[in-house]
Amino acid sequence: MSGELSPIDKAKFVAAKRAADMVEDGMRVGLGTGSTAAWLVRCLGEMVREDGLRFSGVPTSARTAQLAREVGIEVLSLDEARWLDLTIDGADEFDRDLNLIKGGGGALLQEKIVAAASDQMVVIADKAKEVESLGAFPLPIEVVPFGWQTTQALVEETLISMDVMGRTSTLRMSHSSPYIADEGNHVLDLHLVRIGNPRQLALILNQIPGVVDNGLFIDICDTVVIGYGDGRVEVRDINEGTIETDRIDFVETDNLFKDLSD
């Protein structure tokens, strides 16, 4: 099995494994969406089965909910949980201030709502996701289907006055049809190259009619857990100003790794 996993996958696993240890009995925990979050859900499922961990998970997408149920995690809706102790999710990019770009998996709206309803947000990522300036990864925005082309034109016109290097956008597709997010919205990916002022851009994009929300997560993330392919883990807490390092033994077990195709 070890020959089948790339260093990036190993880095994602050790970050997820380290973050899973932050979950305690009785917690209500937001469960993110994407490849790194899938490792987390698998790790937590193993802790439920093997260690007797008892907690409630609030998934940020339908596919995370399905995986959580498959591995034995109790699943609640956000309305049922109301408020969360912790949300653990991945990110497409993060900078040194722990500003994020999220939404590569198409679930940015539910991810942001869940993260905002949590006492703490922890991001799990491999080292490659850390950047000096956000924007190399396309910035997703959810837009309502009605008049989406008009919304797209308004967004591109707005970008002219923003501190970005690129100003084109594309409609995300699923095969030959527009991709539909869980809330029924379309997703536009903005190809910005570099975002000079993420906070300003996030505020202005959300003022455009037709834009539901954008994938810039500003002042939401508290801690980032960074995994490396050799098993090293770095935990940065922006509130405490601390950096901790650790190493996690990489042991592959069939029940944890089988059928993980996210």
Side-chain angles (χ1 to χ4, degrees):
M1 175 72 77
S2 60
E4 299 174 12
L5 290 173
S6 68
I8 291 294
D9 283 332
K10 292 179 182 179
K12 292 177 179 180
F13 167 72
V14 296
K17 184 70 172 176
R18 176 64 178 82
D21 289 337
M22 300 177 181
V23 177
E24 301 175 0
D25 278 328
M27 277 188 169
R28 292 160 295 179
V29 181
L31 303 174
T33 296
S35 60
T36 311
W39 292 112
L40 169 77
V41 174
R42 289 279 181 169
C43 289
L44 289 172
E46 185 176 55
M47 292 168 68
V48 168
R49 296 189 304 272
E50 303 295 330
D51 304 327
L53 177 67
R54 292 293 177 263
F55 75 100
S56 301
V58 175
T60 56
S61 67
R63 60 184 179 276
T64 296
Q66 179 180 353
L67 178 58
R69 291 189 178 99
E70 288 174 358
V71 300
I73 296 172
E74 178 190 10
V75 172
L76 297 179
S77 70
L78 183 57
D79 286 337
E80 291 171 323
R82 302 193 67 176
W83 194 260
L84 307 180
D85 300 286
L86 176 68
T87 286
I88 306 175
D89 204 347
D92 299 303
E93 286 185 345
F94 68 92
D95 65 17
R96 62 183 176 184
D97 296 320
L98 302 195
N99 297 315
L100 318 172
I101 285 182
K102 288 181 52 56
L108 72 92
L109 180 58
Q110 291 191 14
E111 289 173 334
K112 189 175 282 189
I113 292 171
V114 169
S118 305
D119 288 336
Q120 184 181 19
M121 182 191 187
V122 174
V123 160
I124 48 178
D126 58 88
K127 177 64 175 176
K129 300 296 176 60
E130 183 173 15
V131 296
E132 286 293 325
S133 299
L134 300 177
F137 190 92
L139 174 64
I141 60 174
E142 282 200 29
V143 300
V144 296
F146 175 80
W148 72 264
Q149 290 175 310
T150 299
T151 302
Q152 182 181 31
L154 289 170
V155 167
E156 292 185 351
E157 181 179 356
T158 300
L159 291 175
I160 295 174
S161 61
M162 295 290 97
D163 184 7
V164 296
M165 290 184 65
R167 298 179 179 88
T168 62
S169 65
T170 54
L171 178 67
R172 188 176 298 185
M173 303 294 290
S174 176
H175 304 294
S176 59
S177 301
Y179 173 84
I180 303 297
D182 281 354
E183 295 300 314
N185 299 312
H186 291 341
V187 175
L188 295 176
D189 290 309
L190 311 186
H191 305 277
L192 308 178
V193 185
R194 182 192 62 81
I195 301 172
N197 191 332
R199 185 184 305 277
Q200 179 190 52
L201 181 62
L203 291 171
I204 290 178
L205 285 174
N206 282 2
Q207 294 176 8
I208 298 173
V211 173
V212 181
D213 211 330
N214 66 82
L216 285 166
F217 283 50
I218 311 297
D219 296 334
I220 295 177
C221 178
D222 299 284
T223 303
V224 62
V225 181
I226 306 168
Y228 295 80
D230 62 0
R232 288 179 296 132
V233 178
E234 182 179 310
V235 181
R236 300 181 194 169
D237 187 318
I238 196 168
N239 299 315
E240 299 295 331
T242 58
I243 300 177
E244 299 178 5
T245 58
D246 198 357
R247 181 178 292 273
I248 293 177
D249 293 330
F250 188 83
V251 179
E252 294 164 343
T253 56
D254 288 342
N255 62 330
L256 182 58
F257 291 90
K258 68 181 181 180
D259 301 327
L260 187 57
S261 59
D262 190 348

